[in-house]
Amino acid sequence: MTRTALITGATSGFGAAAARRFVAGGWRVIVTGRRADRLQALVDELGAGNAHPACFDVRDEAAMRAALAALPGDFANVDLLVNNAGLALGTLAAQNASLDDWRTMIDTNITSLVVLTQALLPTLIERKGAVINISSIAGSYPYPGGNVYGGSKAFVTQFSLGLRSDLHGTGVRVTSIEPGMAETEFTLVRTHGDQLASDKLYAGAQPMTAEDIAEQIWHVATLPAHLNINRLEIMPVTQSFAGFQVFRG
Ligand code: NDP
Ligand code: 8X3
């Protein structure tokens, strides 16, 4: 039986790569995002029988619910929710950061994720499906300027663990995937469109690719039904930990 994954944030990066991976593996995908042209291009590439575009801003709850209600027959029974849509905005210290950026991150990374998850839980429970939430190493390891982004991802990780606890006995699997540095449009978005800054960050660093993360999502989703990976933290070999900072006045 063909299974169906709903992947948010599939117009770019991890989400687009995951959509390709799942269709290559014989699944159907519902691909979401705000950029309709990119969704259509992805559907054209993957085939309309394999991919269905649902264009909405995840912060718009009414649009999200309307898109779910409008899913065509073959796509209506969602077996896997990949909560991937998300972003970081800015790297300024909290005292200088933009409150608008903070609100956008909280609304996108936290509020939208819990609303969509709750909307799909009845279907996921009925189908003994799975939820894969894309968190980040930023949720476990603080760094200067990571403030609200890191906080939002700590929420995603902890919500994932709590969800798993609540879903005990239902057969629904829940995983928090926590990637480190991966080259996507993430830094372009974080810097409000500074391509040079994005290129500089990744230059010579051998970051992970979107396909690397898509492969992890696929791996988690296709484990034998009795196994649940709770948390999966992954970094490029070139990235590791540094010490605490000490201020001497
Ligand atoms: P990209 O910027 O390449 O992709 C982000 C995706 O999220 C896009 O498809 C975008 O679609 C979607 N999105 C953002 N805001 C909204 C919104 N309001 N409504 C609908 N869709 C939205 O970044 P990545 O692929 O790297 O990021 C995917 C996830 O991975 C994010 O949650 C990010 O925090 C996380 N992550 C990224 C890491 C990295 O180093 N790249 C590391 C760890 C975690 P559109 O703009 O078309 O709406
Ligand atoms: C993205 C990883 O380290 O840039 O979530 O915050 S990091």
Side-chain angles (χ1 to χ4, degrees):
M1 191 183 56
T2 305
R3 284 185 283 175
T4 301
L6 189 156
I7 303 171
T8 65
T11 57
S12 170
F14 302 166
R20 292 188 176 101
R21 182 65 186 89
F22 276 76
V23 169
W27 288 49
R28 279 189 211 100
V29 292
I30 301 152
V31 287
T32 89
R34 291 165 297 183
R35 287 170 286 183
D37 52 338
R38 289 203 187 189
L39 286 180
Q40 194 52 54
L42 189 59
V43 170
D44 290 346
E45 174 191 330
L46 298 176
N50 300 319
H52 171 76
C55 188
F56 59 88
D57 185 323
V58 288
R59 295 167 296 172
D60 182 344
E61 184 179 337
M64 179 197 289
R65 291 189 189 281
L68 292 182
L71 288 175
D74 281 352
F75 291 89
N77 294 320
V78 175
D79 298 287
L80 168 67
L81 168 61
V82 181
N83 278 313
N84 166 74
L87 77 174
L89 288 172
T91 50
L92 292 174
Q95 56 273 33
N96 300 317
S98 153
L99 261 185
D100 280 347
D101 283 353
W102 280 11
R103 286 198 182 94
T104 301
M105 287 188 277
I106 291 166
D107 292 348
T108 309
N109 299 354
I110 298 178
T111 310
S112 306
L113 182 146
V114 302
V115 170
L116 179 58
T117 302
Q118 203 196 36
L120 281 175
L121 277 181
T123 305
L124 292 169
I125 290 169
E126 189 188 315
R127 301 182 67 76
K128 296 194 192 305
V131 180
I132 297 177
N133 291 327
I134 306 301
S135 179
S136 167
I137 57 163
S140 300
Y141 309 99
Y143 57 84
N147 42 64
V148 166
Y149 178 67
S152 74
K153 292 302 188 178
F155 176 93
V156 172
T157 296
Q158 194 63 18
F159 177 67
S160 306
L161 298 175
L163 195 57
R164 174 143 163 65
S165 192
D166 286 350
L167 292 169
H168 184 77
T170 64
V172 177
R173 302 193 282 187
V174 185
T175 301
S176 165
I177 296 186
E178 298 153 24
M181 178 191 273
E183 185 168 6
T184 61
E185 292 178 16
F186 177 82
T187 300
L188 188 65
V189 171
R190 184 170 211 169
T191 58
H192 296 279
D194 189 340
Q195 185 67 58
L196 276 179
S198 176
D199 293 345
K200 199 173 153 198
L201 179 73
Y202 300 122
Q206 287 187 275
M208 296 186 291
T209 65
E211 289 70 28
D212 291 331
I213 302 305
E215 202 55 44
Q216 297 305 313
I217 298 171
W218 172 255
H219 169 67
V220 166
T222 55
L223 284 167
H226 66 291
L227 297 178
N228 192 105
I229 293 184
N230 301 328
R231 299 177 65 167
L232 194 163
E233 182 183 290
I234 181 167
M235 292 180 181
V237 172
T238 54
Q239 183 178 33
S240 65
F241 319 101
F244 291 108
Q245 51 188 345
V246 177
F247 175 74
R248 295 184 175 85

